[in-house]
Amino acid sequence: MKDIQQNIADIEQKICAAAQKSGRKREDILLLAVSKTIDVQHIQEAVDCGLTELGENKVQEILEKYEKLENVSWHLIGHLQTNKVKYIIDKVKMIHSVDSLKLAEEINKRAKQANIIMDILVEVNMEQEESKFGVSPEDTLSLIQNIAFLDNIRIKGLMTVAPFVDNPEENRDCFRRMKQLLVDINNEKIDNVHMSILSMGMSNDFEVAIEEGATIVRVGTNIFGKRVYPQK
């Protein structure tokens, strides 16, 4: 328990300092605990320390952990296939990884059936890396304009997975452009769209992301330690 508690305390200190640097308050930033591959016991330790917002990359992992953890909110932060939307539509608070109209339409359809409004973020592949999902920065506005017509979806902001770099400063420009993209799209004053969330920054670069305007940072390794992936 002590390790996780200490890890969270260290992260909190860094978030506070980065928030102050960017002229914001600590409560302006959500620390999303990324619990992929982590067992329920260790996740519960983080929850006991106050981290009740959890992020998972895979639908399957949410389904496996959903009943075992109480008083938490789940975020789907990984790539989502349209055929899996139905399994999590009533289980997640927000979907961070919407990158096509087809996926948005499926989320809208399932949300309508469940009689809910689903909060989403549009995933932007800011550096246009071939290995990553996300819409290109140039196509983001038109995708949002199309999604805005869907009644059971609320577009809350943008998300990006920045390149993995040794020096976090290398991602500063990426984060800065994400913030500018959010501002530019809000300035278009699209009906039903006012975006305030920027989900960007992970264990290795969340401080820089906050300095450049992140409102959600997705941190896993720095909370739970190095991940152990099952042997294939």
Side-chain angles (χ1 to χ4, degrees):
M1 178 72 174
K2 192 159 179 274
D3 282 352
I4 287 178
Q5 204 169 6
Q6 187 56 55
N7 289 348
I8 293 169
D10 292 346
I11 294 162
E12 280 295 334
Q13 223 173 353
K14 289 173 178 172
I15 291 175
C16 287
Q20 204 173 5
K21 217 167 165 182
S22 67
R24 291 183 294 153
K25 299 188 182 77
R26 166 64 189 94
E27 53 267 31
D28 296 337
I29 295 123
L30 169 67
L31 171 57
L32 186 66
V34 178
S35 49
K36 67 176 184 182
T37 78
I38 305 299
D39 60 72
V40 168
Q41 184 190 338
H42 286 97
I43 300 170
Q44 187 63 57
E45 286 182 27
V47 173
D48 292 342
C49 294
L51 296 189
T52 56
E53 308 262 340
L54 305 173
E56 283 286 350
N57 281 52
K58 294 188 172 157
V59 168
Q60 191 55 39
E61 283 207 57
I62 291 178
L63 299 179
E64 282 165 10
K65 297 167 185 177
Y66 185 78
E67 300 288 342
K68 297 171 187 166
L69 289 151
E70 293 177 354
N71 304 317
V72 300
S73 298
W74 294 97
H75 297 241
L76 194 281
I77 60 175
H79 180 62
L80 179 58
Q81 294 167 302
T82 49
N83 63 349
K84 298 217 171 136
V85 173
K86 57 181 181 257
Y87 300 116
I88 52 142
I89 196 68
D90 59 343
K91 294 181 172 61
V92 298
K93 178 178 177 179
M94 186 182 285
I95 297 171
H96 289 226
S97 47
V98 177
D99 60 358
S100 70
L101 184 57
K102 185 183 166 202
L103 176 57
E105 286 170 341
E106 179 66 17
I107 293 168
N108 186 63
K109 178 179 123 184
R110 298 295 178 178
K112 197 167 282 186
Q113 288 168 354
N115 200 25
I116 55 174
I117 306 285
M118 178 53 69
D119 288 345
I120 67 157
L121 304 179
V122 169
E123 181 174 2
V124 183
N125 188 346
M126 186 49 86
E127 300 300 340
Q128 307 205 32
E129 295 178 89
E130 280 184 23
S131 60
K132 293 205 175 121
F133 294 99
V135 62
S136 71
E138 299 76 29
D139 294 335
T140 305
L141 174 61
S142 64
L143 177 60
I144 288 172
Q145 285 168 328
N146 287 322
I147 295 174
F149 289 106
L150 302 173
D151 294 335
N152 287 65
I153 280 184
R154 209 166 24 203
I155 306 167
K156 301 289 278 186
L158 305 176
M159 181 271 251
T160 197
V161 181
F164 188 81
V165 290
D166 290 327
N167 177 6
E169 284 297 328
E170 290 175 37
N171 280 336
R172 190 176 289 279
D173 183 57
C174 170
F175 295 142
R176 195 170 283 163
R177 281 181 284 130
M178 278 295 292
K179 170 70 179 180
Q180 192 56 53
L181 184 62
L182 185 87
V183 170
D184 290 347
I185 292 172
N186 275 332
N187 286 341
E188 294 287 329
K189 303 211 174 346
I190 305 161
D191 280 353
N192 306 323
V193 177
H194 179 73
M195 305 189 298
S196 58
I197 293 176
L198 261 182
S199 171
M200 60 186 193
M202 301 197 284
S203 284
N204 63 322
D205 57 11
F206 70 87
E207 291 163 272
V208 173
I210 291 169
E211 287 169 19
E212 295 303 332
T215 64
I216 297 180
V217 289
R218 311 182 302 273
V219 180
T221 307
N222 281 22
I223 296 170
F224 299 108
K226 212 165 163 55
R227 290 204 168 77
V228 180
Y229 290 97
Q231 295 291 318
K232 289 189 175 169

